[in-house]
Amino acid sequence: MNLTESAILKIKDILAEESDANIKLRVFVQGGGCSGFQYGFTLDEEQGEDDFEIEGVLIDSMSMQYMTGATIDYKEDQYGSSFSIKNPSAVTTCGCGSSFSPY
């Protein structure tokens, strides 16, 4: 999993706003969404034994198998701001880009 410079800067900003130095951004994959799987983001202060940590981002090993080779980016434009994920493992995606199918 890769992070763009824009994503790294935004993650650092988010984490700097928290009073707990142990908090990290967790990215995960779960069942749901219109394409079968969807991405999720949350703040987490607990790092599991099977978690990977990349630039302040935690991802569990189950989610990592669907995120290998993916790139997380952060964009701000006239429509708003958001993280986006470009995932080469995604065979199909929905129109909003928040869900995907690896099959």
Side-chain angles (χ1 to χ4, degrees):
M1 188 178 75
N2 304 299
L3 299 161
T4 65
E5 188 63 31
S6 175
I8 292 169
L9 291 173
K10 185 59 179 178
I11 291 165
K12 286 181 180 179
D13 286 347
I14 291 169
L15 299 180
E17 293 176 3
E18 298 300 317
S19 59
D20 185 345
N22 294 320
I23 290 184
K24 306 244 185 305
L25 179 69
R26 179 173 293 282
V27 178
F28 57 93
V29 173
Q30 64 185 13
C34 53
S35 293
F37 290 94
Q38 60 189 2
Y39 304 109
F41 296 87
T42 189
L43 295 177
D44 196 343
E45 58 187 22
E46 299 289 325
Q47 183 169 351
E49 289 183 21
D50 72 332
D51 284 341
F52 294 87
E53 182 179 353
I54 303 167
E55 299 283 345
V57 174
L58 298 176
I59 183 164
D60 63 90
S61 60
M62 180 65 86
S63 296
M64 183 61 98
Q65 70 181 341
Y66 296 107
M67 299 277 299
T68 300
T71 299
I72 298 176
D73 192 13
Y74 180 78
K75 293 184 181 180
E76 293 183 16
D77 59 24
Q78 68 269 23
Y79 302 110
S81 59
S82 65
F83 286 101
S84 65
I85 299 175
K86 293 180 183 167
N87 189 344
S89 298
V91 174
T92 59
T93 60
C94 67
C96 67
S98 65
S99 71
F100 71 98
S101 174
Y103 310 110

